[in-house]
Structures are given as structure tokens and as C-alpha cells.
Amino acid sequence: MNINGIQSVHGAHSLSGPHLSQRAAGNATARPTTTDQLEISLSAQSALSETDIRSDRVAQIKQQIAEGSYETADKLDAALERLIDQLG
């Protein structure tokens, strides 16, 4: 989303991976294989175990994201309003 002052707001753009230069695109074998990892500290694990996680709500949101129905114009408008309020 591009925000150019309060008067000009462009819509959200779809997510896409990083753009490759022509040199990198021509040599696909040079790309390293990466794996995402997450490590949670013991203190964070302890805090998480004391937190009530709504598994049903998490599953519902994951499903909406997978279907592409999670981000709606209403949600984006509300987020934009909150941002404008914070910027004052």
C-alpha cells in the first residue's frame, strides 16, 4: 500500500517474492536453498503455556488466509483509519 499524504491512498498490492535481476534469473542453480526456522526461548515458552490460545479462532483465520478471504476492504479501511489516528 502506498500512502502519499492523507489525500492519496493506493490500494493494497498482492504479495510476491523478491524480484530477480536478469543475471540471477538466468542462473537458477545459483540460488541457495533456505529453510525458515523458529526458536522460542524458555521464558517465552513459559509465557505461552500460561496464555489461553483460542485454537478454533486460529484455525478459522488460517483457513481464511488460505482461501484468500481474510483481507477485506473493511479490514483494510479500519487499519488505515487506526494508522491515520495514530499519526494524528
Side-chain angles (χ1 to χ4, degrees):
M1 177 182 295
N2 295 330
I3 301 175
N4 300 320
I6 296 177
Q7 303 301 322
S8 176
V9 178
H10 299 276
H13 296 276
S14 64
L15 296 176
S16 62
H19 300 287
L20 299 175
S21 67
Q22 289 179 343
R23 181 177 169 208
N27 189 2
T29 59
R31 295 182 75 193
T33 302
T34 59
T35 303
D36 292 334
Q37 292 183 324
L38 173 68
E39 293 182 23
I40 301 175
S41 68
L42 292 176
S43 61
Q45 289 177 19
S46 175
L48 282 174
S49 68
E50 297 171 7
T51 304
D52 183 27
I53 297 175
R54 296 176 49 198
S55 301
D56 58 329
R57 182 72 174 131
V58 171
Q60 179 186 25
I61 291 171
K62 282 184 177 183
Q63 181 180 0
Q64 289 174 347
I65 290 170
E67 294 171 348
S69 62
Y70 181 73
E71 290 183 2
T72 64
D74 291 340
K75 288 180 184 178
L76 293 174
D77 287 343
L80 184 59
E81 288 295 324
R82 287 192 302 265
L83 175 64
I84 291 171
D85 288 345
Q86 287 180 359
L87 294 176

